[in-house]
Amino acid sequence: MSQYRQGGLIVSTSPHIIDDISTTKIMRDVLIALVPAFVMSAVIFGPRAVLLTVTCVVSCVAFEAIFRYITRRGNTVGDLSAVVTGVLLSFNLPSSLPYWMAVVGSFVAIVIVKQLFGGLGQNFANPAITARVVLLVSFATPMTTWPLPEQILRTTDAVTGATPLALFAEGRMAELPSYSDLFLGFVGGSLGETSALALLIGGIYLLARRIITPEIPLAFLGTVAVMALIAGTDPLFHLLSGGVMLGAIFMATDYATSPLTSRGKIIYGIGCGLLTMVIRLYGSYPEGVSYAILLMNILTPHIDNLTGRSLYGGMKV
C-alpha cells in the first residue's frame, strides 16, 4: 500500500481498513471451536477416537510439509490449516477405520485437493469433505461400519450397528434413539458428527468471534427442517442426526469454497440443505451431507458470478 503525506494528512491507496486478523488466528479459533466435539468423541468412542484424530492431524501436517519442501515453496504448516483439515477429516470417519486408510484420506485432502491446486484458498472443494467421499467410494465397508458407543464405553470389544439415519432409511422407526441421545451424541456415527450439543457450542463460539456468519448455517439447517416437514418426517430428527450440524457449521462455511456475498451464502446454504434431504429421502445412501457440500462447492464460482455486487459507475464483480 503506497502512501504520502499531504498537509498533515496521510493519503494512501486502498485498502484503507487494516485488521490484525490472520490465517493462523482464524484456524486457531476453529480448532478451539472443535474442542467440545473432540472431547465428546473421546468420551463416546473411547481412546481410538483420539488416536484416529492424531493420525489424521500428523499425516496432514506431514504431507503438507513434504509437498512444500519438494516443490520448493514456502512452508505453510504454521498457518494451522493442515491441522484443521486433519481434525475435520477425522470427524468424518468411523472410529473403527484402519489408521492407514485415514492416512490415505489425509494424502487426498492435502496433496491432491489442496496443494496441487495452489494451496490454501486455491482449492475448488473442501479437502476434508472430498477425502471422505474418496474414502467412502474406495473403502465402502470400513467407512460404513459404525461402532456402538454404549458397547465401547463398557467393554474393550466394539460392537457395530446401524446409525440413526440407516435405521430411518430401513423403516425401523421403533429402534430410533431418543432426542436426548441424538443431542448428546450417544449414537453410532462418525467421530465428530454425533454430538449436536458439542457442535452447537463450537458454532456459537465461531459466531461470537466473527469467524463465520450465520447465513450458511441457518439456510442449511432451515432448509433441512422445511424439507423434512414437506416430506412428512420429523425435522428435529434430521437436524440432530448424521453430519448436518458438522457440515452446516464447520464444513460448508469454509472460506475458500463458499460464496462471498450474503445473498450467495443463503443460496449456497439452501442448496446444501436441499441436496442433503433429496439424497436422504430418495437416494440409496442414507446420508447426503458430504455429497451436497461437495456439489455446492463446485457451483460456488457460478453463485459468486450471479450474486456479485456492482460498483457505483462500474460493472458487476
Side-chain angles (χ1 to χ4, degrees):
M1 180 176 66
S2 61
Q3 63 181 28
Y4 63 92
R5 185 174 296 276
Q6 181 181 17
L9 298 176
I10 296 179
V11 180
S12 62
T13 58
S14 61
H16 304 291
I17 300 176
I18 301 175
D19 201 340
D20 63 349
I21 194 68
S22 65
T23 300
T24 302
K25 291 181 179 180
I26 292 173
M27 296 301 166
R28 180 194 61 196
D29 279 333
V30 173
L31 288 172
I32 293 173
L34 289 169
V35 167
F38 173 70
V39 172
M40 285 302 296
S41 72
V43 171
I44 296 168
F45 296 108
R48 205 174 192 286
V50 177
L51 294 176
L52 192 62
T53 302
V54 171
T55 299
C56 289
V57 170
V58 172
S59 55
C60 280
V61 171
F63 282 132
E64 178 152 321
I66 293 170
F67 184 91
R68 303 293 291 193
Y69 177 79
I70 292 175
T71 56
R72 298 183 180 181
R73 301 178 185 178
N75 193 334
T76 56
V77 171
D79 64 14
L80 300 180
S81 62
V83 177
V84 171
T85 298
V87 175
L88 289 176
L89 174 58
S90 69
F91 280 12
N92 281 274
L93 306 176
S95 61
S96 58
L97 189 76
Y99 296 118
W100 70 267
M101 292 184 186
V103 174
V104 171
S106 299
F107 177 83
V108 172
I110 295 299
V111 177
I112 297 178
V113 181
K114 182 181 178 183
Q115 293 300 332
L116 287 181
F117 284 89
L120 182 64
Q122 304 300 315
N123 47 288
F124 75 96
N126 185 290
I129 284 286
T130 309
R132 182 186 190 276
V133 171
V134 170
L135 289 175
L136 188 58
V137 172
S138 303
F139 311 108
T141 299
M143 282 291 293
T144 54
T145 300
W146 312 105
L148 296 178
E150 295 83 1
Q151 297 297 329
I152 291 181
L153 291 175
R154 294 174 185 173
T155 69
T156 57
D157 296 325
V159 177
T160 60
T163 65
L165 287 175
L167 294 173
F168 173 83
E170 295 170 5
R172 298 156 60 183
M173 303 304 177
E175 301 177 41
L176 292 178
S178 65
Y179 287 143
S180 61
D181 282 343
L182 288 171
F183 186 65
L184 294 176
F186 293 101
V187 293
S190 298
L191 291 187
E193 70 178 17
T194 61
S195 178
L197 173 61
L199 295 169
L200 285 171
I201 292 173
I204 293 171
Y205 175 82
L206 291 180
L207 288 170
R209 294 285 296 173
R210 298 183 179 180
I211 301 300
I212 64 172
T213 55
E215 292 93 340
I216 291 176
L218 290 181
F220 196 152
L221 298 174
T223 302
V224 168
V226 170
M227 285 290 292
L229 286 172
I230 293 174
T233 60
D234 186 354
L236 189 56
F237 168 79
H238 281 284
L239 289 173
L240 297 178
S241 301
V244 167
M245 288 290 180
L246 178 63
I249 297 171
F250 292 98
M251 313 295 285
T253 54
D254 175 46
Y255 288 175
T257 57
S258 60
L260 299 173
T261 65
S262 294
R263 185 172 53 161
K265 291 177 180 178
I266 293 173
I267 295 173
Y268 174 85
I270 291 174
C272 288
L274 182 63
L275 289 170
T276 295
M277 290 305 291
V278 167
I279 295 172
R280 282 187 175 187
L281 296 174
Y282 308 109
S284 59
Y285 186 62
E287 176 62 294
V289 172
S290 297
Y291 297 104
I293 295 176
L294 182 57
L295 289 171
M296 292 308 297
N297 284 168
I298 297 172
L299 293 178
T300 291
H302 302 291
I303 296 175
D304 281 333
N305 289 334
L306 292 172
T307 61
R309 298 172 181 173
S310 297
L311 299 176
Y312 180 73
M315 298 178 64
K316 183 181 287 188
V317 295

